[in-house]
Amino acid sequence: EVQLVESGGGLVQPGGSLRLSCAASGFSFRYSAMSWVRQNSGKGLEWVSGIDSGGGITRYADSVKGRFTISRDNAKNTLYLQLNSLKTEDTAMYYCALGFKNLESTRGQGTQVTVSS
């Protein structure tokens, strides 16, 4: 059974940083492209970033480019998202998901990021 467990969210002031983690199990993580998506209350899912199975190819939504960094550790079956220079509009529930860019794919339960002064 595929399991994706996100952690690392929290309350942070504008301009602050957070590092999200996603522990994966139940499938061949090292051979799977992965992504992060987010959902703000009242809005639909938004793709944030994707990474290929080896970690050599990454892509970002324009809204986070230059501020967020996706990475992975295949030895630990873990996906990461470093969030820097956070803005209030980054407030959302963040999910890790299977696949590079597929809003319909399997994702975890999410971790809440709240950016507020």
Side-chain angles (χ1 to χ4, degrees), residues 4-6 20-24 27 29 32-38 45-53 57-61 69-72 78-81 93-108:
L4 300 167
V5 180
E6 301 92 338
L20 307 184
S21 298
C22 172
F27 65 103
F29 178 80
S32 301
M34 299 293 295
S35 56
W36 288 94
V37 300
R38 67 185 181 185
L45 279 174
E46 176 189 14
W47 176 82
V48 174
S49 180
I51 188 169
D52 75 330
S53 59
I57 298 174
T58 59
R59 296 290 185 270
Y60 300 91
T69 303
I70 191 171
S71 63
R72 64 191 298 159
T78 303
L79 179 71
Y80 302 101
L81 186 68
M93 185 72 80
Y94 285 73
Y95 304 89
C96 67
L98 281 173
F100 197 94
K101 193 173 185 180
N102 182 358
L103 294 179
E104 301 301 321
S105 77
T106 301
R107 58 183 184 268

